[in-house]
Amino acid sequence: MRGDSALAVEDRLYSALAIVRVVVTINMVGLNAYRRESFEHPTAGLVVVAALAGWTAVAIWLYRDRRRRVPALLVADLAIALAAMAVTPWVKSEGFNATIPGYWVMGALLAWAIHWHWRGGLAAAALIAAADLLPRSEVDQGNYGNVFLVLIGGPVVGYLCESLQRMARERDVAERAAAAAEERTRLARAVHDGVLQVLAMTQRRGAAAGGDWADLGRLAGEQERSLRSLIRQQDTVPAGHGHRPTGQVDLAGALEAMATAHPVRVEVATPGGTVLVDERVATEVVAAARSCLDNVLTHVGADATAWILAQAAPDAITVSVRDDGPGIEPGRLEQAEAEGRLGVVSSIRGRIEELGGTAAVDSGPWGTEWDLTVPLA
């Protein structure tokens, strides 16, 4: 379906075609006047030339309005050109050299190329070439050259017209995406300057006051994190079709969603922009990070705090998950694996290693930190 921008480009192309029609009409009138001695039926030739000149004026007027540019108009335009070529052997002679319309047929050819792109240009060029060659008893090098240029020029012009219209549509999509991103940024700024700051202040004051105010502060903190996550994820929503490669998702947005989707208090820090990765990579990395948080809930408790940090490099992504628990006793992971408890091995390391990455763990009295690194190649 054509958009307004594509139709605007089409309007300009038809405006340029109107100039071409005037030029080729003047050329047709001049050449036929110069070659009038070669006409066996000069009166009929004058009528044909006058009719083609009159149709030029009518066609320019008809093509000016989009509502009148219907397929019937283009068919009639090309039919008139073919009819003028078909009567040439009778008006001139069987051994004619040039058809009466000559280059005038470019008007109909280019109109088909503009409207139906390369397919229309090719179809019109083939019909014009057939109408030019079939009546001839002998085809010389000049006739062949003209037909060859018509068969090449029609599809090429049609392809270029289609490319211009596609570029116009893509430009409109990009402009809408930029406008939407700017509006989201403005709204996020307004929310940050108002609601988020109030929620953050309520959380701090409630924690300091204790009692029921502490519960209110905790709820305000949860709402603050939820709202920040929502604002962050809005930046990953495409404003138009075709901006996100098929099969890719935003890992940063998926990690942000975990801030409010887990019983453990989670603080997430991600890059400013989107981190597009293959859908399978995002699924496995998020699942591994969730397994880390599940371990925090199991071994540290629901009162623990966890931090998720995502870092994106050109060739790899690294997701770090850290908690403030007592840490893992030395050799505990190896002992669990030897006992057949493969939660860490399969849920965390197994997922990352299947992606060609590494899962490193560092633990101590300060807590436990997992570094999940996955190559992007």
Side-chain angles (χ1 to χ4, degrees):
M1 186 175 181
R2 300 184 183 184
D4 292 340
S5 58
L7 290 175
V9 171
E10 187 176 277
D11 290 342
R12 292 193 176 190
L13 291 173
Y14 279 117
S15 298
L17 177 58
I19 300 174
V20 174
R21 285 183 183 271
V22 172
V23 173
V24 296
T25 300
I26 294 174
N27 178 74
M28 177 201 63
V29 173
L31 286 179
N32 282 289
Y34 177 74
R35 299 168 179 165
R36 63 186 179 278
E37 300 298 334
S38 63
F39 283 72
E40 288 189 356
H41 300 87
T43 303
L46 177 61
V47 171
V48 172
V49 171
L52 294 180
W55 173 252
T56 297
V58 174
I60 291 175
W61 175 76
L62 289 174
Y63 279 103
R64 186 177 301 170
D65 192 339
R66 295 178 185 174
R67 294 170 297 181
R68 295 192 291 261
R69 293 198 294 262
V70 295
L73 172 60
L74 283 95
V75 172
D77 194 8
L78 183 59
I80 291 173
L82 297 176
M85 298 176 70
V87 301
T88 298
W90 175 75
V91 174
K92 288 189 171 184
S93 64
E94 293 294 336
F96 71 95
N97 182 30
T99 62
I100 295 175
Y103 291 113
W104 184 89
V105 299
M106 289 177 57
L109 172 65
L110 296 179
W112 277 54
I114 294 172
H115 190 79
W116 285 307
H117 306 142
W118 71 267
R119 294 177 179 84
L122 179 60
L127 293 174
I128 291 172
D132 184 55
L133 295 180
L134 290 177
R136 297 181 185 274
S137 57
E138 183 179 352
V139 178
D140 58 22
Q141 185 175 355
N143 304 137
Y144 168 77
N146 291 336
V147 168
F148 180 78
L149 290 177
V150 167
L151 290 173
I152 292 296
V156 169
V157 172
Y159 175 78
L160 293 177
C161 293
E162 182 180 14
S163 298
L164 288 173
Q165 292 177 335
R166 183 171 60 250
M167 290 170 61
R169 289 192 295 267
E170 291 173 352
R171 181 200 61 194
D172 279 0
V173 171
E175 289 177 351
R176 287 195 295 269
E182 183 178 353
E183 180 64 13
R184 286 199 299 267
T185 301
R186 185 188 68 81
L187 293 175
R189 188 183 304 118
V191 172
H192 179 272
D193 292 342
V195 179
L196 290 179
Q197 290 185 357
V198 171
L199 290 174
M201 182 179 65
T202 303
Q203 180 186 11
R204 292 193 300 270
R205 296 285 181 86
D212 293 339
W213 291 104
D215 292 336
L216 177 62
R218 179 180 56 80
L219 293 175
E222 292 177 357
Q223 293 302 313
E224 179 198 6
R225 292 194 300 274
S226 178
L227 187 55
R228 286 186 186 276
S229 176
L230 179 61
I231 294 174
R232 170 64 181 78
Q233 292 177 56
Q234 290 303 305
D235 292 335
T236 71
V237 178
H241 298 290
H243 284 307
R244 177 176 296 178
T246 304
Q248 290 199 332
V249 298
D250 177 38
L251 177 61
L255 292 174
E256 285 280 359
M258 296 177 62
T260 57
H262 202 276
V264 173
R265 173 186 171 88
V266 183
E267 296 184 7
V268 182
T270 59
T274 59
V275 182
L276 294 180
V277 298
D278 290 341
E279 185 175 0
R280 176 171 177 264
V281 172
T283 301
E284 296 300 325
V285 170
V286 169
R290 185 178 293 109
S291 294
C292 294
L293 296 179
D294 291 342
N295 287 337
V296 175
L297 178 63
T298 301
H299 300 290
V300 183
D303 295 332
T305 301
W307 295 266
I308 296 179
L309 172 64
Q311 304 175 76
D315 58 344
I317 55 170
T318 299
V319 176
S320 300
V321 183
R322 183 171 66 88
D323 63 63
D324 57 357
I328 303 175
E329 298 179 3
R332 186 70 185 90
L333 294 179
E334 291 77 6
Q335 179 184 356
E337 182 178 356
E339 294 174 353
R341 288 179 287 177
L342 304 178
V344 171
V345 174
S346 61
S347 298
I348 302 177
R349 283 179 176 161
R351 294 180 186 274
I352 302 303
E353 289 175 357
E354 285 183 1
L355 299 175
T358 59
V361 61
D362 186 18
S363 186
W366 45 268
T368 302
E369 180 174 2
W370 283 92
D371 288 326
L372 313 177
T373 303
V374 177
L376 295 180

